[in-house]
Amino acid sequence: MSICACKPSVRAIAILAVVVGILGAMIGYDRGFREHPQPDWVGATPEMRFKYGSIGAEHDAGVPYWIFYVLPRVFPEKLQQDGRIAPGGYAALGVPWELGQELPIGFTKKTIGFPRVANNCAVCHTTSIRAAADANPTFVVAGPAHTTNVEAFFRYLIDCAKDPRFNADILMAEINRVTELDVIDKLLYRFFIIPITKKRLLEREAQFAWIYRADFPQWGRGRDDAMNLTKYFMIRAPMDDTFGPTDMPSVWNIDKYRWDQGHRMNYAGDSHDAWSVIMDSALGLLGAAPANREEFVGQVKWLHGYLAQLPAPQYPFAIDAARAAAGKPLFVAHCARCHDSELTGRPLPLAEVGTDRGRIDSWNMAAAIKANQVVKEMGLERRGLVEAEPQGYVAAFLDGIWLKAPYLHNGSVPTLHDLLQPVARRPQVFWRGYDVYDQKKVGFVSDGEAAQRVGTRLDTQSRGGGNQGHEFGTQLSASEKEALLEYLKTL
């Protein structure tokens, strides 16, 4: 009797265990992996989608939202600017931040089980500009992110993870001060999300070992080392001794680059076309093969279509029409050969341009072949990277040139006025990343108390920072240079 009486109980327990297991799996999937769309940007304007829309980077490169939120509260001393603790949380990194927005431009929020923060293309391609120190900034999408310190952001996340205070007790105490998570999320954060995030960030330290080299300068605001990023992240190449910092480029009106006419993209002409550049850049933000290949290709297609026809921004201040008219023939005589001709959009030999060669040395044909192979193995189609040794720098299109300061491929000359000076008279040291515009010199204010407080110092004697070369137009008279500058504002 006792044996028979217990059989229903065993069966009931077994059924209950199965039900609990199924419910646990459903909750685990819902809170850990289920992907939710971004409802805020589905029907938004193209500009808002570009600034805040996800490209899928939250899967592998995303930081859990509440960890991202509290890091500046726990580790404010790690947000430094030229050795000084910089107030303002993530704003200390120079990221453009619109009033009323939850995150800076170029930062995305998406729920994949739990809310995560990642980046999209706008993080490197949105310009902040102010007419005066007391004015509110205007944000220009597809322009160079000259204020954003990308390397400092990478370093910050890793340095926080290396700190023993990055633990569940301290982070959960801070999270509990700013929000009320439910029981399930509290358990997930304490026992899974925080430990796994720490582990993933510490793994990135090895990938970023090359930016911690003591004998190499930091990029500073508005620059990155794009091809070394590709080498060490996409193809996992062993670390070499190259360093090729470059200015963040503009990406408006990319349809002007025609691969079938011999145009090449990237500063050294490393890529065949805009589709390839967008795809490779997006893969760099993802940090891995896309979780959903079809969705990823759709995002690349949207970005390509949006940026292909997006016009360069017009100069927002007054232009002296008569002086600009006098500057046009000077442009034709001294600039058009490279910047408004069949040479435009094509690489020119380094010997002709004479600028710093660090960017060229950071890439090679073998790396291009390997990178193309890696992307092909992902099942993605593109013309890809040019499988040849870099020989020089692309003669740039000058649409919107007024907003592309600092100048040269490595951003080593602060204004167009300075670019028209012989190398010996160009600033040897200046501060990058201040967004007040200098209408006279055509560029951003790069010296003085405010610029030095906000910006990052660039010494043109530092590795990869040389300001030599491109001495075209330097022999013009002062009045001719003023006329040429006025004309350049109209482009």
Side-chain angles (χ1 to χ4, degrees):
M1 290 293 293
S2 61
I3 295 176
C4 293
C6 73
K7 284 184 179 179
S9 177
V10 170
R11 189 178 298 113
I13 291 172
I15 293 172
L16 179 62
V18 170
V19 171
V20 169
I22 292 173
L23 288 174
M26 292 174 63
I27 293 172
Y29 170 75
D30 181 64
R31 295 298 184 93
F33 304 100
R34 187 162 74 91
E35 185 170 347
H36 299 255
Q38 274 191 306
D40 291 342
W41 312 122
V42 170
T45 64
E47 180 177 307
M48 292 297 284
R49 178 174 174 178
F50 179 78
K51 289 189 288 190
Y52 302 107
S54 169
I55 61 171
E58 297 82 8
H59 284 274
D60 288 288
V63 178
Y65 175 80
W66 289 113
I67 294 178
F68 180 86
Y69 188 98
V70 302
L71 283 184
R73 300 166 67 99
V74 179
F75 305 104
E77 77 284 356
K78 298 184 188 297
L79 286 167
Q80 294 195 1
Q81 177 78 28
D82 286 344
R84 310 182 308 273
I85 296 177
Y90 292 111
L93 302 173
V95 290
W97 208 323
E98 293 183 296
L99 290 174
Q101 291 299 331
E102 181 180 15
L103 294 170
I105 294 172
F107 286 71
T108 65
K109 181 182 178 183
K110 191 171 188 179
T111 297
I112 305 174
F114 50 88
R116 312 180 191 205
V117 175
N119 297 118
N120 66 13
C121 299
V123 73
C124 292
H125 303 294
T126 302
T127 307
S128 175
I129 178 173
R130 288 184 295 157
D134 59 353
N136 289 324
T138 296
F139 302 114
V140 182
V141 298
H146 72 109
T147 61
T148 301
N149 196 331
V150 175
E151 182 182 3
F153 179 60
F154 293 154
R155 285 173 173 263
Y156 181 67
L157 294 179
I158 294 169
D159 292 347
C160 288
K162 291 167 63 177
D163 195 299
R165 291 172 294 164
F166 195 111
N167 62 60
D169 287 338
I170 290 177
L171 292 185
M172 284 305 301
E174 198 62 43
I175 290 171
N176 289 335
R177 290 187 181 98
V178 296
T179 191
E180 182 61 41
L181 299 177
D182 63 27
V183 173
I184 294 174
D185 278 345
K186 284 183 178 179
L187 292 173
L188 285 173
Y189 262 88
R190 175 171 288 277
F191 295 107
F192 295 99
I193 296 175
I194 291 174
I196 290 172
T197 300
K198 183 181 182 76
K199 179 176 182 294
R200 293 291 298 273
L201 290 175
L202 291 177
E203 289 170 352
R204 288 190 190 181
E205 183 181 11
Q207 290 179 300
F208 279 112
W210 53 288
I211 71 173
Y212 283 92
R213 292 176 288 194
D215 56 332
F216 281 28
Q218 294 189 30
W219 307 340
R221 290 189 173 209
R223 296 201 304 176
D224 69 357
D225 192 353
M227 303 319 288
N228 272 328
L229 277 168
T230 303
K231 282 193 308 192
Y232 302 135
F233 278 78
M234 182 179 286
I235 65 177
R236 303 292 195 269
M239 188 167 67
D240 57 35
D241 193 46
T242 62
F243 180 60
T246 54
D247 215 41
M248 298 295 188
S250 63
V251 290
W252 52 64
N253 190 25
I254 57 174
D255 200 38
K256 60 180 177 280
Y257 289 95
R258 304 300 300 272
W259 70 271
D260 55 344
Q261 295 179 18
H263 293 166
R264 295 293 179 262
M265 294 195 70
N266 290 341
Y267 283 109
D270 315 280
S271 195
H272 282 288
D273 60 4
W275 177 271
S276 301
V277 170
I278 294 171
M279 180 171 285
D280 289 351
S281 299
L283 287 172
L285 289 170
L286 266 62
N292 184 320
R293 190 171 61 197
E294 184 177 346
E295 181 179 345
F296 174 75
V297 173
Q299 295 285 2
V300 173
K301 183 177 181 180
W302 182 85
L303 284 165
H304 185 268
Y306 173 61
L307 297 173
Q309 303 298 327
L310 185 68
Q314 294 185 342
Y315 188 74
F317 309 109
I319 294 177
D320 185 323
R323 183 175 291 173
K328 183 173 182 178
L330 294 169
F331 174 84
V332 172
H334 298 277
C335 309
R337 174 183 173 272
C338 294
H339 296 293
D340 190 19
S341 72
E342 70 282 353
L343 296 178
T344 312
R346 296 171 173 80
L348 299 179
L350 181 62
E352 182 174 345
V353 181
T355 49
D356 190 293
R357 65 172 300 115
R359 167 63 175 78
I360 290 177
D361 292 338
S362 69
W363 192 244
N364 57 51
M365 181 170 67
I369 293 171
K370 178 63 176 176
N372 285 338
Q373 178 184 349
V374 168
V375 176
K376 185 176 181 180
E377 289 171 354
M378 293 179 184
L380 299 170
E381 296 183 2
R382 80 213 208 294
R383 293 186 182 89
L385 292 152
V386 177
E387 296 181 357
E389 299 292 343
Q391 300 297 319
Y393 295 114
V394 171
F397 289 94
L398 299 188
D399 52 330
I401 187 65
W402 66 271
L403 195 60
K404 296 182 182 182
Y407 296 96
L408 297 186
H409 73 275
N410 58 355
S412 59
V413 180
T415 68
L416 286 178
H417 166 85
D418 296 314
L419 189 59
L420 290 175
Q421 306 304 315
V423 172
R425 293 174 55 190
R426 294 172 183 171
Q428 298 300 301
V429 173
F430 65 95
W431 280 261
R432 296 178 49 99
Y434 187 46
D435 64 352
V436 172
Y437 198 77
D438 187 331
Q439 299 178 46
K440 182 174 178 60
K441 290 189 173 182
V442 192
F444 293 96
V445 174
S446 59
D447 201 358
E449 182 181 349
Q452 292 183 29
R453 183 180 67 254
V454 173
T456 52
R457 184 177 185 270
L458 177 65
D459 185 342
T460 59
Q461 301 302 308
S462 63
R463 184 167 186 170
N467 65 351
Q468 71 271 19
H470 199 285
E471 293 193 81
F472 309 110
T474 59
Q475 301 306 314
L476 294 172
S477 68
S479 61
E480 288 174 325
K481 290 177 181 179
E482 289 179 2
L484 178 56
L485 289 177
E486 205 69 15
Y487 175 71
L488 292 174
K489 296 174 182 177
T490 70
L491 298 181

